[in-house]
Amino acid sequence: MRVHKLTFAALAVAAGLSLTACQNDDAGTGQSDPSSGSTVSSSAGGSDSGSSDQGGAKDSAGTSSATNSGSTSSGGTGKAAGTGSDANAKVGKCRTDELEITAKDNTIDGDPDGTAVVELTNHSGRDCTISGYAGVDLKTNAGALSAKRTGQQVDSAVLKNGKSTFFPINYPFNKSGGSGVRVTGLVVTPPDETKSVTLDWPGAATLPVTDGSGSPVKVGPVGSAGQGG
């Protein structure tokens, strides 16, 4: 009986070792498969080759290729930002048809000369640039009288949509005691434009008669007068 017990014990140990060996073989096989699967996944996912492809596409094809490669959000935003920057860098000039032009008297008591202020308001729906001297002609009963430039420095500026800029017109009072030259209208041509607008003259009704040596009317550059004067 003792011999049989030892035999059974030996068989049990042998069976246990055999089962452990089988489990180790199965475990080794299981580790090998995931490792193989991970390699395939990396190759199929193409993280390295995909990055190279996308990088090459960006280098050779620019933004549109980057957009197609899956960076739709960042690529689209970058393109829009670039377009906006280009648009801002190339703001067009203000055109006559895009400006609402009005004039009003702005003479202050005690001033030696009269002053009219012309307002130009941008209603184009876009920003535009405006700088320089506007053309100013007074319509009179003796013919057109062109204003002379004051010679002040000209500054270029962007006129935002809906905003206004101003320039002054200075003229002498008629203190001669005579009827003088009767002013019937004001013609304004914005800077760098050929199309004019005709306005009512807001200043004094008459100007003194000149000796023909030059225009007594002076015009300042756009932006040289503030709101209301």
Side-chain angles (χ1 to χ4, degrees):
M1 290 296 293
R2 189 173 183 180
V3 173
H4 288 297
K5 286 181 179 180
L6 290 173
T7 302
F8 288 144
L11 289 175
V13 170
L17 291 174
S18 176
L19 180 60
T20 301
C22 290
Q23 289 176 347
N24 288 336
D25 289 341
D26 291 341
T29 303
Q31 291 175 356
S32 175
D33 289 342
S35 175
S36 175
S38 174
T39 302
V40 172
S41 175
S42 174
S43 175
S47 60
D48 293 337
S49 63
S51 297
S52 297
D53 290 343
Q54 290 176 4
K58 289 180 182 178
D59 291 340
S60 62
T63 303
S64 61
S65 182
T67 301
N68 292 336
S69 67
S71 302
T72 304
S73 177
S74 61
T77 303
K79 187 174 181 181
T83 302
S85 177
D86 290 343
N88 291 335
K90 299 178 181 178
V91 177
K93 293 181 179 179
C94 300
R95 300 302 181 189
T96 302
D97 291 336
E98 298 174 333
L99 298 170
E100 180 183 357
I101 304 175
T102 58
K104 68 177 182 179
D105 181 55
N106 198 56
T107 302
I108 299 175
D109 291 342
D111 283 354
D113 295 318
T115 302
V117 169
V118 176
E119 178 179 3
L120 304 96
T121 304
N122 178 8
H123 63 84
S124 65
R126 65 178 181 88
D127 297 345
C128 60
T129 59
I130 188 166
S131 65
Y133 286 83
V136 172
D137 295 286
L138 271 60
K139 298 171 69 175
T140 76
N141 61 339
L145 180 64
S146 297
K148 291 181 63 176
R149 297 178 177 183
T150 60
Q152 290 174 258
Q153 181 179 347
V154 172
D155 295 320
S156 180
V158 174
L159 184 58
K160 297 290 186 180
N161 180 51
K163 299 299 183 180
S164 299
T165 188
F166 307 81
F167 68 84
I169 302 171
N170 299 110
Y171 61 93
F173 293 120
N174 180 18
K175 299 178 181 179
S176 65
S179 60
V181 178
R182 184 166 55 88
V183 183
T184 60
L186 171 64
V187 181
V188 175
T189 308
D192 300 318
E193 274 287 79
T194 57
K195 187 174 182 179
S196 304
V197 295
T198 301
L199 309 172
D200 292 334
W201 171 244
T206 63
L207 300 176
V209 177
T210 65
D211 58 7
S213 61
S215 173
V217 181
K218 311 291 184 181
V219 57
V222 171
S224 62
Q227 184 175 0

